[in-house]
Amino acid sequence: MSTVLRYLFFIFIVKPLVLIGLGLNVYNRQRLPSKGPAIIVANHNSHLDTLVLITLFPLKLLKNIRPVGAADYFLRNRFLSWFALKIIGIIPIYREVCPGTKRNPLTHISAALERGDILIFYPEGTRGQPEKLQSFKTGIAHIAKRHPQVPIIPVFIHGLGKVLPKGEALLVPFICDVVVGEHIRWEGSKEAFMNKLSSTMKELAFKISFPAWE
Amino acid sequence: MKPELASPNVLWTLGSILSLLALATVSKRIVQRINPKIDLSLPAHYINTWWIIVIPLALAIAASKRLSIILFAFVSFMTLKEFFSIIPIRRTDRRVLFWAYLTIPVQYYWISKDWFEMFVIFIPVIVFLILPIRVILIGDISGLVKTTGVIQWGLMTTVFGISHLAYLLVLPPKYNPNGGGAGFVLYLILLNQLNDIAHTIFGKVLGHLSVFPNLRSQKTYEGLVFATSLTVFLSLLLSQVLTPLTRIESVLAGLVIGLGGVIGDAIMSGLKQDLGIKQNNSNEQTYTRILDNMDSLMYTAPLFFYFLKIT
């Protein structure tokens, strides 16, 4: 039932909203993976980021696409957690490891990668100031180290922070840019990997010229 | 379904354009097959543009009156969105832009009700007076004039300008026994687009003396003379089929559409140049796919509309 709803939601609401209501300029679309396992790493400015990234993939991959979202935010009430888990299909991640529990916060992520899913991951940890790139948290490095064979595809998104920034409910249409980077892999050390990831992200941001947003 | 807005003359013209376009597409393919080295990017660009213009136009003409209005409102929305995506704006302007989008359904509502006075004053007067209030209510006063100025520019061209095409299209047949409102629209769009092409070609072949030396857009005096003459000539031919205009009126209409198109194109180029956006005629990624093709039309549509009104 919720699978059907998920498809209906993406076909009749998300796709028209993203492709007609907003409009996308996608650079280097061919670099997107055509099958899992893979990790999409993107900057995060808006709830719409996830919907846009999912729209980039063909519908037949929808069942394999799993955005990684904060459990404390998305599972805070019953409706939201149903929507996040069943319709968007998130993998909840616990941002703060509770003392006393031995559980590894990345268990679900590893399991999904082993199933061949495509994960969407926001290393900034939360939606930042609109259109400002924040420093990345190192959780992604742990995942990369555990799964060195999984390609990590950096994607830079611009414009959605204008469309629907954090703390706003009013959606204002703008055409948005999505720049797909070449995939990177685990480089042997956490620092090297994180440096590579942030420098790739900054290069992608340079690819597009966007109007001022003061 | 019987088309409400199409007369036989309009359907014949539309059919001829579609067949010519199909012929052009096929011959382009053949030329490319025979000699892959020939650079066909310019004709290919025009053929593509024409398909993009003619298909929605054919739909709008074939559809019911209400659907045609919705279709043109949608074109306004897409164009305004492109415009808002290239202008520099302030964070606090989001709500102002939202209001600006809301003018689209209102403006097209006046057309559906055939309320001419509101149609004319709504964007140039009412919206012009109201938009700054929204900015003042938000309270970010520094930059007020710039913000409202840029937004008003966008609304005047993409909403006010384009809506004149819709109003022309749904005009009752009594104004144009030859082709109805659709005849006027087809006549205007054909002349406008052919005028654009003529400028590009004549400007390339025999142009040296630039009309607007500070603009990147290439318009030359030689091109201006030849293209305008061609447009006036075509106007004389087409007006027989599609409009009730007399000889002298067709010559004047050709001049209005030809020269208006040049001015519109120049002003929109200047606007984009000012905003630092390069003009893009390739298939490269660009924000302004529709805007680039509509810029001269957004100007000539109101010009031609009021030309008809006073003649």
Side-chain angles (χ1 to χ4, degrees):
Chain A
M1 175 60 190
S2 52
T3 321
V4 175
L5 278 180
R6 185 175 192 212
Y7 276 93
L8 291 178
F9 178 67
F10 276 95
I11 296 170
F12 291 105
I13 297 177
V14 175
K15 286 227 175 206
L17 173 77
V18 169
L19 299 178
I20 299 169
L22 308 180
L24 295 183
N25 273 334
V26 186
Y27 299 79
N28 307 322
R29 188 190 277 272
Q30 77 285 356
R31 288 179 181 168
L32 288 171
S34 51
K35 60 179 188 351
I39 304 172
I40 305 293
V41 169
N43 58 324
H44 201 20
N45 288 313
S46 167
H47 279 316
L48 295 171
D49 290 334
T50 307
L51 302 183
V52 165
L53 287 170
I54 295 178
T55 315
L56 295 177
F57 289 93
L59 267 181
K60 68 175 200 294
L61 281 177
L62 182 61
K63 61 180 187 306
N64 296 100
I65 297 177
R66 309 293 307 275
V68 176
D72 52 287
Y73 184 85
F74 287 105
L75 305 188
R76 67 173 187 267
N77 67 50
R78 195 185 282 173
F79 171 75
L80 192 63
S81 78
W82 170 81
F83 184 75
L85 292 170
K86 299 293 182 194
I87 302 299
I88 306 295
I90 72 162
I91 298 177
I93 183 171
Y94 296 85
R95 282 193 276 208
E96 281 168 36
V97 183
C98 316
T101 54
K102 284 267 168 65
R103 191 173 47 171
N104 186 324
L106 304 180
T107 314
H108 292 299
I109 290 179
S110 291
L113 286 174
E114 274 149 28
R115 271 200 308 274
D117 286 349
I118 298 173
L119 302 188
I120 296 173
F121 200 90
Y122 301 110
E124 286 167 284
T126 179
R127 289 167 297 152
Q129 277 286 311
E131 311 307 336
K132 289 249 164 59
L133 198 59
Q134 305 184 92
S135 65
F136 289 167
K137 300 204 166 40
T138 53
I140 183 69
H142 292 288
I143 304 172
K145 189 180 177 187
R146 272 177 94 167
H147 302 273
Q149 76 292 353
V150 172
I152 293 170
I153 298 102
V155 175
F156 180 78
I157 312 171
H158 173 263
L160 289 164
K162 279 158 62 169
V163 176
L164 188 71
K166 191 174 186 171
E168 287 275 354
L170 183 75
L171 190 147
V172 180
F174 290 99
I175 300 174
C176 300
D177 293 293
V178 178
V179 195
V180 185
E182 282 188 78
H183 71 241
I184 54 178
R185 284 173 203 268
W186 174 245
E187 304 233 333
S189 85
K190 201 160 99 178
E191 285 74 33
F193 176 81
M194 292 310 294
N195 285 340
K196 176 85 183 151
L197 187 62
S198 352
S199 65
T200 314
M201 217 47 152
K202 288 198 184 97
E203 276 166 37
L204 295 181
F206 268 118
K207 285 240 156 81
I208 42 178
S209 59
F210 25 80
W213 170 250
E214 295 126 27
Chain B
M1 183 180 70
K2 195 180 177 309
E4 289 171 46
L5 307 166
S7 70
N9 282 0
V10 167
L11 290 177
W12 275 108
T13 317
L14 212 52
S16 322
I17 301 171
L18 283 171
S19 347
L20 276 176
L21 212 46
L23 194 70
T25 312
V26 172
S27 31
K28 190 206 94 192
R29 292 255 166 91
I30 293 172
V31 171
Q32 216 145 38
R33 186 68 59 80
I34 296 169
N35 187 353
K37 284 196 191 105
I38 294 182
D39 179 26
L40 287 178
S41 57
L42 193 67
H45 166 73
Y46 280 116
I47 292 172
N48 271 341
T49 310
W50 275 74
W51 279 117
I52 295 167
I53 292 171
V54 169
I55 290 173
L57 186 64
L59 284 177
I61 289 172
S64 65
K65 179 180 164 183
R66 179 183 302 214
L67 231 110
S68 318
I69 293 176
I70 293 174
L71 209 96
F72 275 100
F74 181 68
V75 173
S76 277
F77 168 71
M78 297 300 273
T79 326
L80 185 63
K81 191 179 71 188
E82 289 188 347
F83 182 82
F84 282 164
S85 302
I86 59 172
I87 58 172
I89 50 163
R90 307 173 300 166
R91 268 159 215 282
T92 44
D93 293 336
R94 286 181 75 253
R95 284 188 154 66
V96 190
L97 296 183
F98 187 78
W99 277 40
Y101 278 117
L102 291 183
T103 62
I104 298 175
V106 181
Q107 173 74 355
Y108 283 88
Y109 173 78
W110 310 133
I111 301 177
S112 73
K113 290 284 154 218
D114 200 10
W115 192 347
F116 181 70
E117 289 77 11
M118 281 309 281
F119 166 79
V120 176
I121 65 165
F122 178 60
I123 286 173
V125 181
I126 299 177
V127 172
F128 175 75
L129 294 174
I130 288 177
L131 263 188
I133 292 288
R134 191 70 193 92
V135 183
I136 287 166
L137 284 175
I138 293 167
D140 195 359
I141 306 297
S142 79
L144 167 80
V145 175
K146 195 178 162 205
T147 288
T148 46
V150 174
I151 295 175
Q152 189 69 26
W153 253 102
L155 291 177
M156 282 300 286
T157 48
T158 64
V159 184
F160 186 71
I162 293 175
S163 67
H164 282 76
L165 289 175
Y167 213 149
L168 270 184
L169 185 61
V170 300
L171 277 184
K174 65 172 187 214
Y175 292 107
N176 183 2
N178 264 348
F184 283 136
V185 174
L186 206 54
Y187 167 81
L188 169 62
I189 292 181
L190 270 175
L191 283 187
N192 172 268
Q193 290 296 313
L194 291 169
N195 185 58
D196 272 8
I197 297 179
H199 270 283
T200 312
I201 294 171
F202 286 126
K204 268 207 166 90
V205 178
L206 29 92
H208 296 290
L209 213 56
S210 186
V211 186
F212 312 108
N214 293 332
L215 277 187
R216 267 182 248 126
S217 131
Q218 306 251 313
K219 291 273 184 291
T220 61
Y221 280 106
E222 293 86 342
L224 191 68
V225 171
F226 280 91
T228 310
S229 324
L230 182 69
T231 305
V232 170
F233 173 70
L234 288 171
S235 165
L236 276 166
L237 286 183
L238 282 171
S239 64
Q240 302 295 311
V241 187
L242 294 171
T243 71
L245 297 176
T246 63
R247 283 260 161 82
I248 295 171
E249 284 167 350
S250 334
V251 171
L252 286 175
L255 284 173
V256 165
I257 294 171
L259 298 175
V262 174
I263 296 170
D265 188 74
I267 292 178
M268 290 312 278
S269 297
L271 193 103
K272 283 183 232 164
Q273 201 169 314
D274 181 27
L275 297 172
I277 298 133
K278 67 169 191 225
Q279 215 139 16
N280 208 329
N281 280 346
S282 66
N283 294 327
E284 221 178 291
Q285 297 282 4
T286 166
Y287 284 121
T288 51
R289 228 162 283 157
I290 308 174
L291 204 58
D292 284 345
N293 294 316
M294 295 293 276
D295 45 13
S296 53
L297 196 56
M298 295 186 299
Y299 254 81
T300 38
L303 279 180
F304 179 62
F305 188 94
Y306 298 112
F307 170 81
L308 288 178
K309 196 87 187 159
I310 55 174
T311 51

